[in-house]
Amino acid sequence: MPPDQPIKKRLASVSRGPRARDTQRPGPVAGLSALPQLPEGCEACQDAHVVAAQNAYLSCARLHEAFDMLPEGLVLLDSEGRHVLWNKSYAEIYSGSADLLQPGMTFEEALRAGVARGEYPEAAGRVEEWIGDRVARLRHPGEQHELSLANGHRILVDERVTSENSVVGLHVDITGLMHREKSFRLLFDDNPLPMFVCAADDGRIVAINDAALAHYGYSREDFLAKTLGDIQSPAAGMPWSAGQTDEERAARTWRHVKADGGLIDVAVYSREMPYEGRPAVMLAMVDITERKEAEARAAFLAQHDPLTGLPNRASLRQRAEDILAVTRRSGQKVAALCIDIDDFQAVNDTLGPSLGDELLLAVAERLRTTMREEDFLARIGGDEFIALQAGIDRPEQVAILAKRLMSRISEPYRIDGKSAVISVSIGIAMAPGDGNSADVLLKNAEMALTLTKNNGRGMFRFFEPAMDARAQLRRRLEMKLRAAIDDSVLEPHYQPLVDLRSGRITGFEALARWPDAERGFIPPSEFIPVAEDTGLISALGVKILRRACLDAAGWPDHVNVAVNLSPVQFSSGGLFAVVLETLRDTGLPARRLQLEITETLLLEKSEQVVATLHALRALGVSICMDDFGTGYSSLSYLRSFPFDKIKIDRSFVQDLDSNPDAQAIIRAIVSLGGGLGITVTAEGIETQAELKRLRLEGCHEGQGFLFSRALPNADIVSLLCAQQSAGAPRSAVA
Ligand code: C2E
Ligand code: MG
Ligand code: MG
């Protein structure tokens, strides 16, 4: 009977008796057909019988309805193995052959009908044997078994025998369950991630996958005898601890002990689930040991210098802040010593970069071991270190440390068979006083260092507030200079170079002039060093060169132009190309251009510098050594390159009258120039007496206020015209 048929309707059909058998569905109807015959004659009896029958039918209908609601398939066979009753789920499970079922049909007949329709693939090729087995099982109650159907479903069968020798069969479709189990197996057993299942209450490991066995190295038996706490180090807590959010759990990492005692860092992902009927937690472990190590390395490198392993600037700042906080409370002082190796670049070039690194390591070691344990040392740049000396009362204590460091560093080094001797310069700032924040304190120590370096090497110097004022002034000048170069405010003025024998102007030296509304002209001695320090000299140099060549191209062909070059212009590269391009663009013949370099350019004896000089000279440009005699070994520089001209520094000319040594030096230079075939020019001639003396000494060329100061191009043109029209060589000169 269809389950959706209302009870009333069913009762009606009961009262109609056997017609109910017409229904396709089996069930209680079959049971009612066995009602006893109505006794004849007695109406009361007949009524009572109908009522009893109706009640019985009602009970039966209810029972059947209840059966139909069960999700499991249920079948009742009588003692002869004939079908008495089956529910809706049973009919659905065996839908391939359930339409053949009839009450009274034997189980074997039903099986054969199903086999004939191909409903039982397991019977294929062994029908009789299979049917025999299957029927025999009916009589072995309590033994669960499974069977497969043609539609791919798997059915779990559990049959029981009643006291009347009937059989009650419970049939459960376990296909979904099996799929889930299979998925779980696939997810768990074959997962490449190590996984455990732990009992939720005590963390006992109750299942373990192969990846975990391989990763941890324990045997399955060992694992299954442990709790999760046994392999955690420290054992505290379980990854699924209550009161933690998913993010908190995900963020936490654990340390597990492997069978060989090794520790690994793992991220643990957990899911609660029942396992074998008990609350459990499935855990997946991701080994993040390498990631953690890499993170630790990165964290170390973020705070340390990779070469020496010393703390870097970032950790120096932090430490300085910490020490300052303590110092503020204790009332003591802290000193920052900014230590820089003198001329390290030159040493590095001589030793080569790898030995240069060795030297730095040795320096770091010496600094560290010369300081107290509680002092702090950081490397903040190539050859720059900062030491923090805390817990001091007087500057003298810092001076003692500075001297000790300088003397230790200046002891000779022996590196890979080569020896090296170096010195360091130190700038010192102290707090409180020179800065109450780490940034200011360190900046002031560096400022003190810069001034120490400007004044010589191998010294130390304390910061003074005036230094800061100077630095600020310099910063302002830098900004102003940058704008002035961009706006082409700077331009060359020209100072004549005079042939001392003929008195004729042979050329002009281009000198950069920076007109300023407030100051008239800002002197080159002020802005050239700033331009060199900031690299602005390259842009400035290009502009002055171009302008000088352009102006000179308009002068008579025998009048040359001399342009000053800074060493920085050589190191920034591309100088040769700049000169070549300028000559081409302005049309000035190369022979009319003289480039003045100073001895400092040759200090490092760089091959690249000498090569550039040769290339320029090969173009036809003259190369002059400016300010000759002021360098460390002026004479030796004359051997590094075949100069076309030497310009004797102004200081020798100034001393000419008073100092016989100056005379002797000039005489020697002039004769040296004669011997080498080099023109000798005297700078800074201010008096007739000086001029006379220089002429007597045979000096070829002169330059100085006596002849003229540097003038703008417009005045040069008239100066040259005057010389031209006067025809007299000395008219332009004193
Ligand atoms: P320098 O190349 O030796 O230039 C000669 C300097 O001596 C010039 O100073 C000039 O004005 C000065 N001078 C010339 N005759 C006399 C004199 O009789 N008495 C005195 N007391 N001084 C005299 P200035 O123009 O102040 O330039 C100073 C330095 O600045 C130059 O020395 C040069 O090294 C540098 N400089 C100037 N212009 C440029 C430039 O365009 N580029 C580069 N790289 N340096 C430049
Ligand atoms: Mg010069
Ligand atoms: Mg000079």
Side-chain angles (χ1 to χ4, degrees), residues 495 509-513 523-525 528 532 537 540 544 563-566 569 596 598 626-627 647 649-650 654 683-686 703-706 708 710:
Q495 187 179 33
E509 178 175 6
L511 295 162
R513 289 293 174 263
S525 55
I528 293 288
E532 287 182 329
I537 192 73
L540 175 63
I544 295 290
V563 177
N564 292 286
L565 292 180
S566 156
Q569 285 173 272
E596 296 192 5
T598 52
D626 204 355
D627 304 338
K647 294 182 80 177
D649 191 64
R650 201 170 71 220
Q654 273 168 354
E683 291 184 311
I685 308 173
E686 292 184 353
Q703 175 184 2
F705 294 167
L706 178 67
S708 170

Side-chain angles (χ1 to χ4, degrees), residues 99-259:
D99 58 308
L100 302 173
L101 280 184
Q102 292 291 333
M105 190 180 198
T106 67
F107 185 66
E108 189 177 329
E109 284 165 352
L111 278 183
R112 284 189 187 283
V115 169
R117 278 197 181 170
E119 280 299 298
Y120 302 106
E122 287 164 348
R126 48 188 278 268
V127 176
E128 292 309 321
E129 185 193 350
W130 184 81
I131 291 177
D133 277 359
R134 180 68 192 91
V135 172
R137 280 185 191 276
L138 286 179
R139 299 297 160 193
H140 292 101
E143 271 182 24
Q144 288 187 343
H145 62 274
E146 292 175 15
L147 60 90
S148 298
L149 298 181
N151 59 9
H153 283 231
R154 187 91 179 148
I155 313 301
L156 177 73
V157 182
D158 188 353
E159 282 153 343
R160 307 287 161 104
V161 179
T162 68
S163 55
E164 290 171 355
N165 222 17
S166 303
V167 175
V168 180
L170 189 70
H171 296 240
V172 183
D173 188 335
I174 55 168
T175 318
L177 195 73
M178 282 181 52
H179 281 152
R180 279 199 296 283
E181 202 168 280
K182 200 170 161 197
S183 307
F184 174 77
R185 289 279 151 220
L186 211 74
L187 201 79
F188 186 78
D189 287 343
D190 301 339
N191 201 305
L193 281 183
M195 293 174 96
F196 317 146
V197 177
C198 294
D201 49 1
D202 55 5
R204 233 172 347 96
I205 297 174
V206 291
I208 186 96
N209 73 353
D210 290 345
L213 296 178
H215 203 82
Y216 284 76
Y218 299 108
S219 69
R220 192 174 292 278
E221 295 68 45
D222 282 351
F223 248 131
L224 296 176
K226 290 180 188 301
T227 67
L228 188 59
D230 294 336
I231 60 158
Q232 274 177 192
S233 170
M238 290 293 163
W240 59 90
S241 303
Q244 280 188 319
T245 63
D246 275 355
E247 284 104 55
E248 283 167 342
R249 281 187 221 172
R252 171 129 194 222
T253 59
W254 302 80
R255 187 155 274 199
H256 282 182
V257 190
K258 297 208 291 187

Side-chain angles (χ1 to χ4, degrees), residues 34 45 47 49 129 205 331 343 351 372 407 426 436 471 574 633 644 684 725:
C45 283
D47 283 351
H49 196 85
E129 185 193 350
I205 297 174
D343 299 323
L351 289 176
R372 290 174 309 174
S407 118
I426 303 179
N436 292 327
S633 62
D644 297 288
S725 58

